[in-house]
Amino acid sequence: MSNAPSRHFRHATMRDFPQMQKIYAHARELMARNGNPTQWGHTFPREEVILNDIAQGRTMLLVDTQNGHERILAQFALCTGEDPTYKTIDGAWLDDDTYVTIHRIASSGLVKHAARDCIRWALKHYGNVRADTHPNNKAMQHVLETSGFARCGLIQLIDRPTDTTRIAYQRHEW
């Protein structure tokens, strides 16, 4: 019998919120240390956004169990339907087909490649996935590009007053 932790995905619940807050804080610190202090700053994602994602069933967690305790390895919001931010792009999307968007992805830092596992899961279940990231977020650009995403152009966030340019990506499993 193997003692290795088994990973799986599940929807977040309100009980997960405190741990999710810690993971987002970890992600903000990591981004700042790696030359990307402004993408999430000190406050993004805002508490009400995280709570709304959980309430709407958009937050997915990659979890495992170790020594009888569940650990959150990574988290992300999986948004279905058309993303209003993606209506205008300086460039071109791969297609106009139905897609899902990955937002607010963050790893706990407990295991390697957790963000990549989240992206793989989304591709397996939805096929056509879009995402965006800050021009200074070299780590996420690397994860997306090595996961087969195409750089489609630049978009402007519509929900923030400053620092709004993002690199837009898409992968479509034909």
Side-chain angles (χ1 to χ4, degrees):
M1 176 140 151
S2 172
N3 210 11
S6 78
R7 296 180 182 188
H8 65 278
F9 287 87
R10 68 170 177 82
H11 283 92
T13 68
M14 290 300 174
R15 284 190 322 268
D16 299 310
F17 178 71
Q19 186 60 34
M20 290 176 61
Q21 285 285 73
K22 291 177 186 173
I23 292 169
Y24 280 128
H26 168 75
R28 286 190 296 270
E29 291 167 15
L30 187 64
M31 282 193 279
R33 280 198 317 267
N34 289 309
N36 183 22
T38 60
Q39 180 176 351
W40 285 1
H42 298 289
T43 59
F44 194 84
R46 294 179 313 276
E47 186 173 308
E48 61 270 16
V49 171
I50 300 166
L51 290 170
N52 188 46
D53 283 343
I54 295 169
Q56 297 298 315
R58 289 189 292 254
T59 303
M60 298 301 300
L61 304 177
L62 172 59
V63 299
D64 73 4
T65 303
Q66 192 171 69
N67 301 322
H69 298 285
E70 184 183 75
R71 305 184 303 171
I72 300 173
L73 306 177
Q75 59 205 30
F76 63 99
L78 188 68
C79 304
T80 58
E82 204 169 280
D83 189 317
T85 301
Y86 291 173
K87 286 187 186 283
T88 303
I89 183 170
D90 180 7
W93 294 109
L94 299 179
D95 57 52
D96 293 324
D97 295 350
T98 302
Y99 62 90
V100 297
T101 306
I102 293 176
H103 285 303
R104 297 176 283 289
I105 191 166
S107 171
S108 65
L110 296 173
V111 298
K112 291 183 182 279
H113 309 299
R116 186 171 282 119
D117 290 347
C118 294
I119 291 168
R120 254 193 231 117
W121 182 90
L123 285 164
K124 177 181 174 187
H125 287 85
Y126 293 93
N128 193 4
V129 179
R130 293 182 183 181
D132 65 84
T133 194
H134 194 282
N136 291 338
N137 194 337
K138 303 301 184 196
M140 184 52 67
Q141 291 172 44
H142 176 76
V143 168
L144 289 166
E145 290 169 10
T146 58
S147 296
F149 279 71
R151 193 180 283 224
C152 296
L154 298 175
I155 54 124
Q156 299 296 319
L157 299 182
I158 58 177
D159 64 344
R160 292 192 227 167
T162 60
D163 195 28
T164 61
T165 300
R166 298 292 185 265
I167 302 169
Y169 289 89
Q170 183 177 5
R171 179 165 172 191
H172 192 161
E173 297 289 290
W174 304 97

